[in-house]
Amino acid sequence: MMNKMTVIVPCFNEEEALPVYYREMRKVMERMEELQKVEIELLFVDDGSTDRTLSIMKELNLRDSRCQYLSFSRNFGKEAAIYAGISNASGDYVALMDVDLQDPPELLPEMYRILQEEDYDSVATKRSTRTGEPKIRSFLSESFYKFINKISKTEIVNGARDYRLMRRKMVDAVLEMSEYNRFSKGIFEWVGFRTKWLEFENVERSAGETKWSVRKLFMYSLEGITGFSVAPLSLASVVGVVFCMLSFVMIMVIIVRTLVWGDPVSGWPSLACIIFMVSGIQLFCTGIVGEYLSKTYLETKHRPIFILKDSSDEVKERHHEVVRA
Ligand code: UDP
Ligand code: MG
């Protein structure tokens, strides 16, 4: 029997990139079907697009039965799209790929070959360069990776893309992690298994525009930090202890000074500064606790990670089978 592979493609307002992607991907699919004897299914996830993305997916589904789709009731974010994709994937092998051709489809045959011939459970990719990206953005990303790897036990690989191919057993492990606050780069490391890393040079977007603003990326990095480290929670205790010791030394100095020189009243500006600084630190620490509390709060609500509005018929049937079973 032929092996089956599902390629999950999250799309948010990608009417321009989607046809280009399909044209390129079809060539790779045909080559792989012929040479590597693997049946490939494209599972597009429409993440609440407001343009023609969904109708293009429907067209593709009519024209080519290998194209399936899921559609969300609103924009739930790329992480939710990935989760929906792997929940509905039927393949023995599952790949994640962006629609803008920044994840080169030509790498896929090589990734599949590695899983066939070598003893790995997953092949992941990372960028060796960040050409074409604004300098400030690269700098912020680099700082984020340095910081999170200092405070987290789970290694978050710098430059890692979401582009990867996994065996079924790893996909099932990822599905077990049904947390609401999702950070894939951490989740894929956390579940373990043997991963081979391939590097490629950064490619610029084929069409359309990036959906990630610096603000969105910042919020996403907070997701990574709170999701995979609790070290910031100890900050309050550490700073507290340091300040207690400091104040003890200061009290000693003041007592000695008063005894030797008397106590002329002066120095209220320095006092004001100290009050400002200490209350600033206190608020900052409370803020960190709040950040974790809010994540915990959302997690305990057990809200669904995504809500489907529509999907291709074959995917619908798959769902019925699961329910019946
Ligand atoms: N994407 C998504 N939901 C979102 C944002 C992005 O499904 O809310 C998809 C998008 O359509 C693309 C992929 O995630 O296929 C990567 O997005 P983008 O290319 O904008 O990010 P970048 O490559 O700039 O990091
Ligand atoms: Mg992109």
Side-chain angles (χ1 to χ4, degrees), residues 273-302:
C273 291
I274 290 170
I275 291 173
F276 261 95
M277 187 178 87
V278 172
S279 49
I281 291 173
Q282 281 176 342
L283 281 179
F284 180 62
C285 291
T286 315
I288 292 176
V289 177
E291 203 62 44
Y292 280 89
L293 181 66
S294 69
K295 299 285 175 204
T296 317
Y297 172 64
L298 286 177
E299 210 68 66
T300 53
K301 286 187 176 222
H302 296 294

PDB file of all heavy atoms in Angstrom, residues 273-302:
ATOM      1  N   CYS A 273      13.057  59.303  44.491  1.00  0.00           N
ATOM      2  CA  CYS A 273      13.538  58.406  43.426  1.00  0.00           C
ATOM      3  C   CYS A 273      13.435  56.950  43.869  1.00  0.00           C
ATOM      4  O   CYS A 273      13.005  56.076  43.107  1.00  0.00           O
ATOM      5  CB  CYS A 273      14.988  58.720  43.075  1.00  0.00           C
ATOM      6  SG  CYS A 273      15.146  60.303  42.262  1.00  0.00           S
ATOM      7  N   ILE A 274      13.851  56.711  45.111  1.00  0.00           N
ATOM      8  CA  ILE A 274      13.829  55.327  45.598  1.00  0.00           C
ATOM      9  C   ILE A 274      12.394  54.787  45.611  1.00  0.00           C
ATOM     10  O   ILE A 274      12.122  53.682  45.167  1.00  0.00           O
ATOM     11  CB  ILE A 274      14.456  55.254  47.009  1.00  0.00           C
ATOM     12  CG1 ILE A 274      15.963  55.511  46.900  1.00  0.00           C
ATOM     13  CG2 ILE A 274      14.207  53.896  47.636  1.00  0.00           C
ATOM     14  CD1 ILE A 274      16.650  55.707  48.224  1.00  0.00           C
ATOM     15  N   ILE A 275      11.466  55.626  46.087  1.00  0.00           N
ATOM     16  CA  ILE A 275      10.069  55.179  46.140  1.00  0.00           C
ATOM     17  C   ILE A 275       9.555  54.838  44.733  1.00  0.00           C
ATOM     18  O   ILE A 275       8.928  53.803  44.514  1.00  0.00           O
ATOM     19  CB  ILE A 275       9.177  56.253  46.794  1.00  0.00           C
ATOM     20  CG1 ILE A 275       9.519  56.348  48.277  1.00  0.00           C
ATOM     21  CG2 ILE A 275       7.696  55.915  46.614  1.00  0.00           C
ATOM     22  CD1 ILE A 275       8.829  57.474  49.001  1.00  0.00           C
ATOM     23  N   PHE A 276       9.908  55.732  43.797  1.00  0.00           N
ATOM     24  CA  PHE A 276       9.486  55.471  42.421  1.00  0.00           C
ATOM     25  C   PHE A 276      10.035  54.148  41.904  1.00  0.00           C
ATOM     26  O   PHE A 276       9.328  53.341  41.317  1.00  0.00           O
ATOM     27  CB  PHE A 276       9.967  56.610  41.504  1.00  0.00           C
ATOM     28  CG  PHE A 276       8.901  57.609  41.223  1.00  0.00           C
ATOM     29  CD1 PHE A 276       8.779  58.768  41.974  1.00  0.00           C
ATOM     30  CD2 PHE A 276       7.994  57.372  40.189  1.00  0.00           C
ATOM     31  CE1 PHE A 276       7.775  59.683  41.728  1.00  0.00           C
ATOM     32  CE2 PHE A 276       6.995  58.293  39.929  1.00  0.00           C
ATOM     33  CZ  PHE A 276       6.879  59.453  40.699  1.00  0.00           C
ATOM     34  N   MET A 277      11.336  53.933  42.135  1.00  0.00           N
ATOM     35  CA  MET A 277      11.957  52.735  41.590  1.00  0.00           C
ATOM     36  C   MET A 277      11.362  51.474  42.214  1.00  0.00           C
ATOM     37  O   MET A 277      10.977  50.537  41.520  1.00  0.00           O
ATOM     38  CB  MET A 277      13.467  52.760  41.811  1.00  0.00           C
ATOM     39  CG  MET A 277      14.151  51.616  41.114  1.00  0.00           C
ATOM     40  SD  MET A 277      15.924  51.642  41.311  1.00  0.00           S
ATOM     41  CE  MET A 277      16.104  50.760  42.832  1.00  0.00           C
ATOM     42  N   VAL A 278      11.249  51.491  43.549  1.00  0.00           N
ATOM     43  CA  VAL A 278      10.761  50.295  44.221  1.00  0.00           C
ATOM     44  C   VAL A 278       9.319  49.993  43.813  1.00  0.00           C
ATOM     45  O   VAL A 278       8.973  48.852  43.512  1.00  0.00           O
ATOM     46  CB  VAL A 278      10.881  50.443  45.754  1.00  0.00           C
ATOM     47  CG1 VAL A 278      10.201  49.286  46.444  1.00  0.00           C
ATOM     48  CG2 VAL A 278      12.346  50.506  46.146  1.00  0.00           C
ATOM     49  N   SER A 279       8.490  51.038  43.733  1.00  0.00           N
ATOM     50  CA  SER A 279       7.103  50.736  43.366  1.00  0.00           C
ATOM     51  C   SER A 279       7.031  50.299  41.900  1.00  0.00           C
ATOM     52  O   SER A 279       6.194  49.474  41.535  1.00  0.00           O
ATOM     53  CB  SER A 279       6.169  51.916  43.643  1.00  0.00           C
ATOM     54  OG  SER A 279       6.724  53.088  43.114  1.00  0.00           O
ATOM     55  N   GLY A 280       7.956  50.819  41.082  1.00  0.00           N
ATOM     56  CA  GLY A 280       8.013  50.359  39.692  1.00  0.00           C
ATOM     57  C   GLY A 280       8.305  48.879  39.620  1.00  0.00           C
ATOM     58  O   GLY A 280       7.644  48.132  38.899  1.00  0.00           O
ATOM     59  N   ILE A 281       9.299  48.466  40.394  1.00  0.00           N
ATOM     60  CA  ILE A 281       9.658  47.041  40.386  1.00  0.00           C
ATOM     61  C   ILE A 281       8.493  46.199  40.892  1.00  0.00           C
ATOM     62  O   ILE A 281       8.182  45.134  40.343  1.00  0.00           O
ATOM     63  CB  ILE A 281      10.922  46.816  41.248  1.00  0.00           C
ATOM     64  CG1 ILE A 281      12.122  47.449  40.542  1.00  0.00           C
ATOM     65  CG2 ILE A 281      11.177  45.330  41.465  1.00  0.00           C
ATOM     66  CD1 ILE A 281      13.376  47.452  41.355  1.00  0.00           C
ATOM     67  N   GLN A 282       7.814  46.709  41.919  1.00  0.00           N
ATOM     68  CA  GLN A 282       6.682  45.944  42.458  1.00  0.00           C
ATOM     69  C   GLN A 282       5.580  45.757  41.420  1.00  0.00           C
ATOM     70  O   GLN A 282       5.056  44.661  41.239  1.00  0.00           O
ATOM     71  CB  GLN A 282       6.108  46.662  43.684  1.00  0.00           C
ATOM     72  CG  GLN A 282       6.935  46.415  44.926  1.00  0.00           C
ATOM     73  CD  GLN A 282       6.429  47.209  46.102  1.00  0.00           C
ATOM     74  OE1 GLN A 282       5.693  48.177  45.931  1.00  0.00           O
ATOM     75  NE2 GLN A 282       6.830  46.799  47.283  1.00  0.00           N
ATOM     76  N   LEU A 283       5.276  46.858  40.734  1.00  0.00           N
ATOM     77  CA  LEU A 283       4.229  46.759  39.707  1.00  0.00           C
ATOM     78  C   LEU A 283       4.651  45.801  38.593  1.00  0.00           C
ATOM     79  O   LEU A 283       3.856  45.004  38.109  1.00  0.00           O
ATOM     80  CB  LEU A 283       3.942  48.134  39.114  1.00  0.00           C
ATOM     81  CG  LEU A 283       3.064  49.026  39.971  1.00  0.00           C
ATOM     82  CD1 LEU A 283       2.868  50.366  39.286  1.00  0.00           C
ATOM     83  CD2 LEU A 283       1.713  48.365  40.197  1.00  0.00           C
ATOM     84  N   PHE A 284       5.919  45.875  38.199  1.00  0.00           N
ATOM     85  CA  PHE A 284       6.426  44.999  37.145  1.00  0.00           C
ATOM     86  C   PHE A 284       6.252  43.531  37.542  1.00  0.00           C
ATOM     87  O   PHE A 284       5.770  42.702  36.765  1.00  0.00           O
ATOM     88  CB  PHE A 284       7.898  45.330  36.878  1.00  0.00           C
ATOM     89  CG  PHE A 284       8.527  44.492  35.810  1.00  0.00           C
ATOM     90  CD1 PHE A 284       8.052  44.541  34.510  1.00  0.00           C
ATOM     91  CD2 PHE A 284       9.593  43.645  36.104  1.00  0.00           C
ATOM     92  CE1 PHE A 284       8.634  43.766  33.522  1.00  0.00           C
ATOM     93  CE2 PHE A 284      10.172  42.870  35.119  1.00  0.00           C
ATOM     94  CZ  PHE A 284       9.694  42.922  33.820  1.00  0.00           C
ATOM     95  N   CYS A 285       6.629  43.222  38.792  1.00  0.00           N
ATOM     96  CA  CYS A 285       6.512  41.832  39.264  1.00  0.00           C
ATOM     97  C   CYS A 285       5.052  41.410  39.331  1.00  0.00           C
ATOM     98  O   CYS A 285       4.698  40.280  38.976  1.00  0.00           O
ATOM     99  CB  CYS A 285       7.181  41.664  40.618  1.00  0.00           C
ATOM    100  SG  CYS A 285       8.965  41.802  40.506  1.00  0.00           S
ATOM    101  N   THR A 286       4.189  42.300  39.791  1.00  0.00           N
ATOM    102  CA  THR A 286       2.758  41.979  39.826  1.00  0.00           C
ATOM    103  C   THR A 286       2.267  41.715  38.407  1.00  0.00           C
ATOM    104  O   THR A 286       1.468  40.817  38.162  1.00  0.00           O
ATOM    105  CB  THR A 286       1.950  43.141  40.425  1.00  0.00           C
ATOM    106  OG1 THR A 286       2.625  43.600  41.577  1.00  0.00           O
ATOM    107  CG2 THR A 286       0.551  42.705  40.775  1.00  0.00           C
ATOM    108  N   GLY A 287       2.808  42.518  37.461  1.00  0.00           N
ATOM    109  CA  GLY A 287       2.440  42.341  36.057  1.00  0.00           C
ATOM    110  C   GLY A 287       2.805  40.951  35.561  1.00  0.00           C
ATOM    111  O   GLY A 287       2.025  40.319  34.846  1.00  0.00           O
ATOM    112  N   ILE A 288       3.987  40.473  35.947  1.00  0.00           N
ATOM    113  CA  ILE A 288       4.403  39.131  35.520  1.00  0.00           C
ATOM    114  C   ILE A 288       3.442  38.085  36.076  1.00  0.00           C
ATOM    115  O   ILE A 288       2.974  37.200  35.354  1.00  0.00           O
ATOM    116  CB  ILE A 288       5.846  38.843  35.999  1.00  0.00           C
ATOM    117  CG1 ILE A 288       6.814  39.742  35.237  1.00  0.00           C
ATOM    118  CG2 ILE A 288       6.202  37.377  35.792  1.00  0.00           C
ATOM    119  CD1 ILE A 288       8.239  39.615  35.681  1.00  0.00           C
ATOM    120  N   VAL A 289       3.124  38.218  37.361  1.00  0.00           N
ATOM    121  CA  VAL A 289       2.177  37.275  37.958  1.00  0.00           C
ATOM    122  C   VAL A 289       0.855  37.328  37.197  1.00  0.00           C
ATOM    123  O   VAL A 289       0.254  36.301  36.879  1.00  0.00           O
ATOM    124  CB  VAL A 289       1.951  37.587  39.457  1.00  0.00           C
ATOM    125  CG1 VAL A 289       0.916  36.652  40.052  1.00  0.00           C
ATOM    126  CG2 VAL A 289       3.255  37.472  40.220  1.00  0.00           C
ATOM    127  N   GLY A 290       0.428  38.554  36.861  1.00  0.00           N
ATOM    128  CA  GLY A 290      -0.822  38.730  36.117  1.00  0.00           C
ATOM    129  C   GLY A 290      -0.781  38.028  34.778  1.00  0.00           C
ATOM    130  O   GLY A 290      -1.763  37.412  34.350  1.00  0.00           O
ATOM    131  N   GLU A 291       0.371  38.106  34.118  1.00  0.00           N
ATOM    132  CA  GLU A 291       0.541  37.476  32.806  1.00  0.00           C
ATOM    133  C   GLU A 291       0.311  35.968  32.902  1.00  0.00           C
ATOM    134  O   GLU A 291      -0.417  35.372  32.101  1.00  0.00           O
ATOM    135  CB  GLU A 291       1.962  37.782  32.321  1.00  0.00           C
ATOM    136  CG  GLU A 291       2.177  37.724  30.841  1.00  0.00           C
ATOM    137  CD  GLU A 291       1.333  38.742  30.097  1.00  0.00           C
ATOM    138  OE1 GLU A 291       1.233  39.915  30.522  1.00  0.00           O
ATOM    139  OE2 GLU A 291       0.753  38.328  29.096  1.00  0.00           O
ATOM    140  N   TYR A 292       0.925  35.353  33.907  1.00  0.00           N
ATOM    141  CA  TYR A 292       0.745  33.906  34.087  1.00  0.00           C
ATOM    142  C   TYR A 292      -0.681  33.591  34.513  1.00  0.00           C
ATOM    143  O   TYR A 292      -1.282  32.631  34.068  1.00  0.00           O
ATOM    144  CB  TYR A 292       1.735  33.361  35.120  1.00  0.00           C
ATOM    145  CG  TYR A 292       3.105  33.144  34.531  1.00  0.00           C
ATOM    146  CD1 TYR A 292       4.047  34.158  34.519  1.00  0.00           C
ATOM    147  CD2 TYR A 292       3.437  31.925  33.954  1.00  0.00           C
ATOM    148  CE1 TYR A 292       5.292  33.978  33.954  1.00  0.00           C
ATOM    149  CE2 TYR A 292       4.680  31.732  33.381  1.00  0.00           C
ATOM    150  CZ  TYR A 292       5.602  32.762  33.390  1.00  0.00           C
ATOM    151  OH  TYR A 292       6.825  32.579  32.814  1.00  0.00           O
ATOM    152  N   LEU A 293      -1.215  34.437  35.392  1.00  0.00           N
ATOM    153  CA  LEU A 293      -2.579  34.212  35.864  1.00  0.00           C
ATOM    154  C   LEU A 293      -3.556  34.250  34.699  1.00  0.00           C
ATOM    155  O   LEU A 293      -4.452  33.407  34.587  1.00  0.00           O
ATOM    156  CB  LEU A 293      -2.950  35.277  36.897  1.00  0.00           C
ATOM    157  CG  LEU A 293      -4.354  35.136  37.474  1.00  0.00           C
ATOM    158  CD1 LEU A 293      -4.449  33.860  38.299  1.00  0.00           C
ATOM    159  CD2 LEU A 293      -4.723  36.336  38.316  1.00  0.00           C
ATOM    160  N   SER A 294      -3.364  35.206  33.782  1.00  0.00           N
ATOM    161  CA  SER A 294      -4.294  35.315  32.658  1.00  0.00           C
ATOM    162  C   SER A 294      -4.210  34.082  31.769  1.00  0.00           C
ATOM    163  O   SER A 294      -5.211  33.600  31.265  1.00  0.00           O
ATOM    164  CB  SER A 294      -4.031  36.582  31.860  1.00  0.00           C
ATOM    165  OG  SER A 294      -2.812  36.487  31.176  1.00  0.00           O
ATOM    166  N   LYS A 295      -2.990  33.548  31.594  1.00  0.00           N
ATOM    167  CA  LYS A 295      -2.854  32.321  30.800  1.00  0.00           C
ATOM    168  C   LYS A 295      -3.573  31.165  31.489  1.00  0.00           C
ATOM    169  O   LYS A 295      -4.270  30.384  30.866  1.00  0.00           O
ATOM    170  CB  LYS A 295      -1.378  31.950  30.603  1.00  0.00           C
ATOM    171  CG  LYS A 295      -0.579  32.980  29.873  1.00  0.00           C
ATOM    172  CD  LYS A 295      -0.869  32.983  28.391  1.00  0.00           C
ATOM    173  CE  LYS A 295      -0.128  34.133  27.749  1.00  0.00           C
ATOM    174  NZ  LYS A 295      -0.688  34.594  26.514  1.00  0.00           N
ATOM    175  N   THR A 296      -3.385  31.077  32.802  1.00  0.00           N
ATOM    176  CA  THR A 296      -4.030  30.009  33.555  1.00  0.00           C
ATOM    177  C   THR A 296      -5.547  30.138  33.469  1.00  0.00           C
ATOM    178  O   THR A 296      -6.267  29.166  33.290  1.00  0.00           O
ATOM    179  CB  THR A 296      -3.611  30.079  35.043  1.00  0.00           C
ATOM    180  OG1 THR A 296      -2.233  30.336  35.103  1.00  0.00           O
ATOM    181  CG2 THR A 296      -3.935  28.795  35.769  1.00  0.00           C
ATOM    182  N   TYR A 297      -6.008  31.374  33.574  1.00  0.00           N
ATOM    183  CA  TYR A 297      -7.437  31.671  33.513  1.00  0.00           C
ATOM    184  C   TYR A 297      -8.024  31.184  32.194  1.00  0.00           C
ATOM    185  O   TYR A 297      -9.016  30.456  32.166  1.00  0.00           O
ATOM    186  CB  TYR A 297      -7.612  33.185  33.669  1.00  0.00           C
ATOM    187  CG  TYR A 297      -9.004  33.693  33.450  1.00  0.00           C
ATOM    188  CD1 TYR A 297     -10.030  33.307  34.304  1.00  0.00           C
ATOM    189  CD2 TYR A 297      -9.295  34.561  32.413  1.00  0.00           C
ATOM    190  CE1 TYR A 297     -11.304  33.781  34.114  1.00  0.00           C
ATOM    191  CE2 TYR A 297     -10.567  35.041  32.214  1.00  0.00           C
ATOM    192  CZ  TYR A 297     -11.579  34.644  33.059  1.00  0.00           C
ATOM    193  OH  TYR A 297     -12.845  35.109  32.855  1.00  0.00           O
ATOM    194  N   LEU A 298      -7.350  31.562  31.081  1.00  0.00           N
ATOM    195  CA  LEU A 298      -7.862  31.141  29.774  1.00  0.00           C
ATOM    196  C   LEU A 298      -7.795  29.624  29.632  1.00  0.00           C
ATOM    197  O   LEU A 298      -8.681  29.002  29.038  1.00  0.00           O
ATOM    198  CB  LEU A 298      -7.050  31.805  28.659  1.00  0.00           C
ATOM    199  CG  LEU A 298      -7.337  33.285  28.470  1.00  0.00           C
ATOM    200  CD1 LEU A 298      -6.447  33.872  27.406  1.00  0.00           C
ATOM    201  CD2 LEU A 298      -8.809  33.486  28.102  1.00  0.00           C
ATOM    202  N   GLU A 299      -6.747  29.036  30.191  1.00  0.00           N
ATOM    203  CA  GLU A 299      -6.568  27.592  30.071  1.00  0.00           C
ATOM    204  C   GLU A 299      -7.695  26.855  30.811  1.00  0.00           C
ATOM    205  O   GLU A 299      -8.214  25.866  30.323  1.00  0.00           O
ATOM    206  CB  GLU A 299      -5.208  27.228  30.646  1.00  0.00           C
ATOM    207  CG  GLU A 299      -4.524  26.026  30.040  1.00  0.00           C
ATOM    208  CD  GLU A 299      -4.085  26.248  28.594  1.00  0.00           C
ATOM    209  OE1 GLU A 299      -3.204  27.073  28.318  1.00  0.00           O
ATOM    210  OE2 GLU A 299      -4.640  25.546  27.739  1.00  0.00           O
ATOM    211  N   THR A 300      -8.097  27.368  31.987  1.00  0.00           N
ATOM    212  CA  THR A 300      -9.111  26.662  32.778  1.00  0.00           C
ATOM    213  C   THR A 300     -10.504  26.783  32.167  1.00  0.00           C
ATOM    214  O   THR A 300     -11.401  26.045  32.535  1.00  0.00           O
ATOM    215  CB  THR A 300      -9.193  27.199  34.222  1.00  0.00           C
ATOM    216  OG1 THR A 300      -9.370  28.612  34.154  1.00  0.00           O
ATOM    217  CG2 THR A 300      -7.940  26.894  34.997  1.00  0.00           C
ATOM    218  N   LYS A 301     -10.681  27.709  31.242  1.00  0.00           N
ATOM    219  CA  LYS A 301     -12.001  27.821  30.608  1.00  0.00           C
ATOM    220  C   LYS A 301     -12.257  26.694  29.630  1.00  0.00           C
ATOM    221  O   LYS A 301     -13.401  26.464  29.238  1.00  0.00           O
ATOM    222  CB  LYS A 301     -12.096  29.139  29.837  1.00  0.00           C
ATOM    223  CG  LYS A 301     -12.245  30.324  30.741  1.00  0.00           C
ATOM    224  CD  LYS A 301     -12.501  31.552  29.893  1.00  0.00           C
ATOM    225  CE  LYS A 301     -12.761  32.732  30.772  1.00  0.00           C
ATOM    226  NZ  LYS A 301     -13.836  33.567  30.310  1.00  0.00           N
ATOM    227  N   HIS A 302     -11.173  26.014  29.210  1.00  0.00           N
ATOM    228  CA  HIS A 302     -11.291  24.916  28.244  1.00  0.00           C
ATOM    229  C   HIS A 302     -12.086  25.314  27.015  1.00  0.00           C
ATOM    230  O   HIS A 302     -12.962  24.583  26.568  1.00  0.00           O
ATOM    231  CB  HIS A 302     -11.906  23.672  28.897  1.00  0.00           C
ATOM    232  CG  HIS A 302     -11.035  23.117  29.961  1.00  0.00           C
ATOM    233  ND1 HIS A 302      -9.806  22.573  29.697  1.00  0.00           N
ATOM    234  CD2 HIS A 302     -11.186  23.061  31.307  1.00  0.00           C
ATOM    235  CE1 HIS A 302      -9.251  22.199  30.828  1.00  0.00           C
ATOM    236  NE2 HIS A 302     -10.064  22.487  31.821  1.00  0.00           N
TER     237      HIS A 302
END
